[in-house]
């Protein structure tokens, strides 16, 4: 048996927590329409138009959410970013609730909620990517686990299983959380929780709710494993190198002592012994990510929860007086201010290229230049002989380029665009009548086995001095196809 030291939950500080959540939402709304689409948003815009139970690189939730937003609000940048605003506001409240479960009062809850004013949540809230809904689902699972274990209310394992099952429709990363928490329970206890009928019932709920995901994976030869292997091969070395440094940057360097305090307080304070498995789960997750070459941000949901728990001892430290409230206040303002400037498009677009921000935050650089890129590709297409245009297609090596051409090219009269990148390969190959290809590639297609000739016609330039992937792309006109598209199309498939 584990000795229990009941934690008296403080009232939820609705006013201060609500102000933090509303402020973050307002900041996201003020910047929602600045710059342009992110490459992932352009990708989701295409694949979301083809509803499926899953895609080769991810489950269906985020692409279908993007499609729903377009259908309801229109085909605009701001329309598909509305959910991110809501997810970040919800994450602020959930972080406050996690701090409350750990015994935190108003100050601790408010500080915990301020965790959304940091680099990763702001990026995930501004750009419509899978990270924002994943953060909310992880925090819901963790909150339910804390209530089940801290207060001996095992029925909370049931909603934990429900949220875990629902999370599988967005990303499969919640499995990492469940595995490492179970490992933490085995290492530091309470092990008897693993024998609870409620825990196993929650696990069954997760399996049943997420079953369509599993069936999709089985029916399609486990594409997520294929994608994970491709990521490990293409980006694994960088992921391992940056794994630990990025843990120090996601919430900002000045907030590192807070989440470290969360780990320490879980391991030391008797009243938190039932959930100290969370402290063990975090390093276990980092080890697992290092082994499988997972991306550094995969651990953020758990890191955010540790930050919220660490807000409790931090608040106790502050109320001792002296210069401590000023230190916390100044540190929070500086930390969050830097995060806003580096994560959101607050600087003018013609200024940001002269700063280190695009190099630091690829999310910023990948929102710049799309209409200009499309205009440059259109100029190449317009130069084609009139007799060639009916048998010309666009082909890209990157889903961002394909997405921008799909969004901006059609109103300009450009032909259909195809790509072998990730899910786009499965949407179909060019028609056999397409004998001329305007190819956008970062490689050198002149040695391609698919075409007899490829002539370079342009090098893409966003005009703002921002280095993103398209700045390394060139536009070619390729002819003399060596075989049918049915024969050649498998060679264009690639994942990353």
């Amino acid at each position: 048996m584990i000795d229990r030291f009941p934690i008296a939950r403080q009232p939820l500080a609705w006013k201060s927590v609500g102000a933090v959540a509303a402020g973050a939402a307002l900041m996201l709304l003020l910047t929602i329409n600045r710059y342009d689409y992110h490459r992932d948003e352009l990708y989701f815009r295409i694949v979301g138009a083809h509803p499926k139970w899953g895609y080769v690189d991810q489950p269906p939730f985020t692409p279908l959410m993007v499609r729903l937003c377009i259908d309801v609000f229109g085909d605009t940048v701001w329309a598909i970013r509305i959910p991110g605003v809501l997810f970040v506001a919800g994450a602020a409240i959930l972080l406050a609730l996690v701090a409350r479960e750990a015994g935190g009062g108003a100050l601790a809850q408010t500080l915990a909620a301020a965790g959304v004013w940091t680099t990763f949540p702001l990026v995930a809230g501004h750009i419509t990517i899978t990270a924002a809904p994943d953060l909310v689902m992880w925090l819901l699972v963790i909150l339910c686990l804390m209530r089940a274990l801290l207060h001996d209310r095992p029925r909370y394992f049931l909603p934990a299983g429900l949220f875990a099952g629902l999370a599988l429709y967005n990303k499969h990363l919640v499995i990492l959380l469940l595995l490492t928490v179970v490992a933490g329970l085995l290492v530091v206890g309470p092990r008897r929780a693993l024998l609870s009928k409620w825990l196993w019932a929650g696990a069954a709920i997760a399996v049943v709710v997420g079953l369509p995901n599993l069936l999709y994976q089985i029916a399609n030869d486990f594409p997520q494993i294929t994608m994970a292997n491709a990521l490990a091969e293409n980006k694994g070395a960088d992921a391992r190198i940056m794994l630990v440094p990025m843990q120090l940057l996601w919430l900002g360097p000045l907030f590192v002592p807070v989440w470290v305090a969360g780990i320490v307080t879980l391991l030391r304070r008797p009243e938190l012994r039932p959930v100290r498995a969370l402290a063990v789960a975090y390093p276990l997750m980092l080890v697992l990510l290092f082994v499988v070459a997972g991306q550094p941000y995969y651990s953020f949901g758990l890191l955010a929860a540790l930050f919220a728990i660490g807000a409790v001892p931090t608040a106790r430290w502050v109320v001792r007086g002296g210069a401590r409230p000023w230190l916390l206040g100044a540190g929070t303002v500086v930390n969050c201010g830097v995060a806003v400037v580096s994560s959101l498009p607050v600087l003018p677009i013609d200024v940001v290229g002269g700063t280190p921000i695009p190099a630091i935050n690829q999310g910023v650089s990948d929102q710049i230049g799309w209409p200009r890129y499309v205009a440059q590709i259109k100029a190449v297409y317009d130069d084609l002989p009139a007799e060639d245009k009916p048998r010309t297609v666009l082909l890209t090596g990157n889903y961002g380029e394909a997405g921008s051409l799909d969004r901006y090219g059609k109103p300009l009269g450009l032909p259909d665009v195809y790509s072998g990148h990730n899910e786009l390969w499965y949407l179909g190959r060019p028609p056999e009548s397409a004998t001329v290809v305007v190819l956008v590639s970062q490689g050198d297609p002149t040695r391609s086995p698919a075409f007899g000739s490829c002539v370079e016609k342009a090098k893409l330039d966003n005009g703002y001095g921002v280095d993103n992937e398209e700045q390394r792309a060139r536009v070619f006109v390729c002819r003399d196809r060596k075989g049918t598209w049915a024969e050649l199309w498998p060679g264009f498939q690639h994942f990353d």
Side-chain angles (χ1 to χ4, degrees):
M1 292 289 291
I2 293 292
D3 293 331
R4 292 189 178 275
F5 300 83
I7 296 177
R9 284 188 296 188
Q10 304 295 315
L12 182 62
W14 279 111
K15 290 183 179 180
S16 57
V17 170
V20 171
L26 179 60
M27 178 59 70
L28 291 170
L29 286 173
L30 290 174
T31 57
I32 198 170
N33 217 31
R34 288 175 63 84
Y35 298 179
D36 204 344
Y37 293 93
H38 183 268
R39 67 171 60 253
D40 287 0
E41 293 171 327
L42 291 166
Y43 175 60
F44 294 148
R45 182 182 168 277
I46 296 179
V47 299
H50 303 269
K52 296 171 62 176
W53 279 109
Y55 303 97
V56 67
D57 48 358
Q58 63 200 288
F61 177 78
T62 300
L64 296 185
M65 178 183 69
V66 167
R67 191 64 207 178
L68 176 63
C69 290
I70 290 173
D71 290 342
V72 174
F73 300 111
D75 197 0
T76 62
V77 176
W78 68 265
I80 65 175
R81 290 180 174 172
I82 290 175
V85 177
L86 302 177
F87 284 128
V88 168
I93 295 171
L94 288 171
L95 287 169
L97 289 172
V98 170
R100 179 172 176 252
E101 290 300 316
L107 178 57
Q109 294 173 28
T110 306
L111 176 58
V116 300
W117 281 84
T118 56
T119 300
F120 189 81
L122 289 177
V123 170
H126 172 65
I127 301 168
T128 301
I129 52 178
T130 57
D134 219 39
L135 173 60
V136 169
M137 299 309 295
W138 276 48
L139 291 176
L140 284 169
V141 172
I142 291 170
L143 182 63
C144 290
L145 292 177
M146 291 181 71
R147 289 188 172 178
L149 294 167
L150 275 176
H151 305 288
D152 197 20
R153 300 176 69 180
R155 285 180 174 83
Y156 271 100
F157 286 129
L158 301 182
L162 174 63
F163 294 134
L166 292 174
L168 292 172
Y169 287 90
N170 181 62
K171 294 283 279 187
H172 294 161
L173 297 179
V174 72
I175 297 173
L176 291 175
L177 174 64
L178 300 178
L179 288 176
T180 53
V181 169
V182 167
L185 290 171
L186 287 171
V187 174
V188 296
R191 297 180 186 89
R192 63 182 177 83
L194 299 174
L195 302 177
S196 169
K197 64 180 181 180
W198 298 105
L199 183 144
W200 288 101
I205 290 174
V207 171
V208 171
V209 172
L211 185 60
N213 263 289
L214 177 60
L215 295 178
Y216 171 83
Q217 293 295 315
I218 294 173
N220 292 275
D221 296 325
F222 294 94
Q224 288 284 284
I225 295 178
T226 301
M227 190 67 198
N229 291 336
L231 285 173
E233 180 179 350
N234 297 328
K235 302 178 181 178
D238 290 341
R240 289 189 173 102
I241 292 171
M242 297 304 297
L243 179 60
V244 172
M246 295 309 295
Q247 306 305 306
L248 307 178
L249 296 177
W250 292 135
L251 286 160
L254 298 183
F255 275 173
V256 170
V258 180
W259 59 262
V260 170
I263 295 175
V264 173
T265 197
L266 281 171
L267 295 175
R268 287 187 175 182
R269 294 192 70 85
E271 63 268 31
L272 294 177
R273 288 180 66 190
V275 291
R276 60 182 176 176
L278 294 174
V280 177
Y282 179 64
L284 290 177
M285 187 176 295
L286 294 185
V287 171
L288 183 58
L289 290 177
F290 185 86
V291 171
V292 301
Q295 297 302 301
Y297 74 87
Y298 289 176
S299 62
F300 183 78
L302 181 53
L303 180 66
L306 294 173
F307 170 81
I309 295 169
V312 180
T314 302
R316 295 195 188 106
W317 175 81
V318 168
V319 296
R320 295 175 188 171
R324 295 177 181 184
W326 293 100
L327 287 173
L328 178 64
T332 300
V333 169
V334 171
N335 196 81
C336 296
V338 171
V340 168
V341 173
S342 61
S343 304
L344 298 178
V346 295
L347 297 179
I349 195 169
D350 55 352
V351 171
V352 71
T355 73
I357 291 175
I360 295 171
N361 182 2
Q362 187 179 345
V364 168
S365 63
D366 285 346
Q367 299 173 66
I368 293 174
W370 298 115
R372 181 178 173 88
Y373 292 142
V374 172
Q376 292 167 313
I377 296 167
K378 183 179 187 304
V380 173
Y381 175 76
D382 288 345
D383 283 343
L384 291 174
E387 62 270 19
D388 282 349
K389 291 181 179 179
R391 50 197 179 94
T392 298
V393 294
L394 308 177
L395 181 61
T396 76
N398 183 284
Y399 62 60
E401 296 149 7
S404 66
L405 286 165
D406 184 80
R407 173 64 181 87
Y408 294 116
K410 289 184 178 180
L412 298 177
L414 287 176
D416 290 336
V417 58
Y418 299 86
S419 179
H421 196 189
N422 292 3
E423 183 67 26
L424 299 184
W425 186 87
Y426 295 91
L427 299 185
R429 59 180 183 264
E432 296 300 336
S433 60
T435 58
V436 181
V437 173
V438 175
L439 175 66
V440 184
S441 174
Q442 295 177 35
D444 182 5
T446 60
R447 295 189 295 271
S448 170
F451 305 105
S453 66
C454 285
V455 179
E456 183 174 349
K457 295 293 185 177
K459 185 180 186 303
L460 296 186
D461 179 10
N462 57 45
Y464 295 105
V466 175
D467 183 24
N468 55 25
E469 286 193 41
E470 280 58 44
Q471 292 288 81
R472 297 180 287 279
R474 296 176 291 167
V475 185
F476 300 83
V477 173
C478 299
R479 303 173 185 272
D480 304 322
R481 195 180 67 214
K482 297 180 178 179
T484 66
W485 280 113
E487 296 167 339
L488 297 174
W489 194 235
F492 285 92
Q493 184 179 33
H494 64 283
F495 305 102
D496 65 41

